[in-house]
Amino acid sequence: MTSSPIVAITEPAAGVALVTMQDRIHKNAFTDALIAELTRAFAALGTRADLKTVVLTGYDNYFSSGGTQEGLRDLFDGKFVFTDRDLYSVALNCPIPVIAAMQGHGIGGGFVMGLFADIVILARESVYTANFMRYGFTPGMGSTFIVPEKLGIALAGEMMLSAANYRGEELQRRGVPFAVLPRDQVLMHALELARSLAQKPRMSLVALKDHLAAPLRQKLPAFIEQEVALHALTFQQPEVRERIETLFGQ
């Protein structure tokens, strides 16, 4: 299987593809290169008749750190909208089940991308945040849909409004419906689940995923449209540009 320096693709078991984001320079931020490689990987893997599941993970203590500072500047300047770079729905639209082994920090869009997987596993030590409002603009990438859908409306509202950081162990105490394990056990658990899925007929897996994902796929576009409209409103504030320049990476 073809890999790139920032996205490694291996097959640790029959029927299982492991996609590892490993852009250490940018901490798996959404650079143009990472977006292109991940999109290409999922497009290719989804057509493989011999594959039954995909595991998506990061490296060391990073799953994905979300948008880059340059990307946020471009959003502020109106050079693109987040729908131009649709990374958020690659897991949702993959025909076979996707397991997000979020062993490392999931920041902003990086956290949201993981939540679009069919099965999510978090690490007790890692930080997860929907931190869009930290910079003064409203959440995008389908956050206002998938975060409440997966975490519940109360916790999701708190996360998005406060833009606070949450350790996996705190989210576990708050009742998130995911496995939350020590970091060094996350990928191992994900691969065990993947091997279990790979024992099932591919046609049945595809049919069931399509059935389970159908309501999400149907509802998501309306939320995306609303988020784009909110971005057009909230990105226009000078305070947003100032926050992007002064708070990014802190």
Side-chain angles (χ1 to χ4, degrees):
M1 175 59 75
T2 302
S3 298
S4 76
I6 58 175
V7 176
I9 304 172
T10 56
E11 296 179 31
V16 177
L18 173 62
V19 178
T20 304
M21 298 178 287
Q22 52 185 21
D23 185 354
R24 296 173 180 272
I25 295 175
H26 300 100
K27 300 178 180 177
N28 285 344
F30 293 159
T31 62
D32 289 344
L34 184 70
I35 292 171
E37 291 299 327
L38 272 181
T39 302
R40 186 178 300 116
F42 272 90
L45 295 172
T47 64
R48 289 268 303 274
D50 59 323
L51 290 180
K52 298 181 178 182
T53 186
V54 177
V55 176
L56 175 64
T57 195
Y59 72 89
D60 298 344
N61 61 338
Y62 278 95
F63 177 72
S64 172
S65 55
T68 65
Q69 188 176 41
E70 181 182 5
L72 296 183
R73 288 173 180 147
D74 287 347
L75 281 169
F76 179 86
D77 292 335
K79 294 181 179 179
F80 76 99
V81 295
F82 68 84
T83 52
D84 294 338
R85 303 173 183 178
D86 180 4
L87 187 60
Y88 50 88
S89 65
V90 290
L92 179 64
N93 291 330
C94 184
I96 55 179
V98 177
I99 301 170
M102 300 176 69
Q103 88 308 325
H105 308 315
I107 310 300
F111 178 51
V112 173
M113 178 178 66
L115 292 183
F116 274 101
D118 303 285
I119 299 174
V120 178
I121 307 166
L122 305 180
R124 291 176 186 166
E125 309 93 321
S126 294
V127 169
Y128 305 99
T129 177
N131 67 341
F132 304 88
M133 287 286 282
R134 172 176 171 78
Y135 303 106
F137 60 86
T138 48
M141 291 189 61
S143 307
T144 59
F145 171 64
I146 202 65
V147 181
E149 184 76 25
K150 292 296 182 76
L151 302 185
I153 191 168
L155 177 57
E158 178 186 315
M159 289 187 77
M160 289 187 287
L161 286 166
S162 70
N165 295 336
Y166 297 77
R167 295 277 178 187
E169 59 185 358
E170 180 180 356
L171 293 177
Q172 187 176 39
R173 290 195 301 269
R174 299 287 295 272
V176 295
F178 311 133
V180 183
L181 304 171
R183 181 179 290 151
D184 60 2
Q185 296 180 21
V186 169
L187 181 56
M188 178 174 61
H189 182 63
L191 291 175
E192 288 175 357
L193 283 172
R195 292 186 185 98
S196 175
L197 294 182
Q199 295 173 9
K200 280 74 173 177
R202 187 181 190 278
M203 182 180 295
S204 299
L205 288 169
V206 170
L208 181 55
K209 165 151 185 181
D210 191 54
H211 174 71
L212 294 174
L216 305 181
R217 293 168 176 165
Q218 291 166 3
K219 294 175 184 177
L220 179 60
F223 282 84
I224 294 296
E225 182 178 353
Q226 292 164 2
E227 288 179 359
V228 170
L230 285 171
H231 273 191
L233 175 67
T234 61
F235 259 102
Q236 299 308 307
Q237 306 170 88
E239 183 182 356
V240 170
R241 182 57 181 259
E242 180 183 349
R243 284 173 170 265
I244 291 171
E245 296 300 331
T246 60
L247 298 180
F248 191 89
Q250 295 184 13

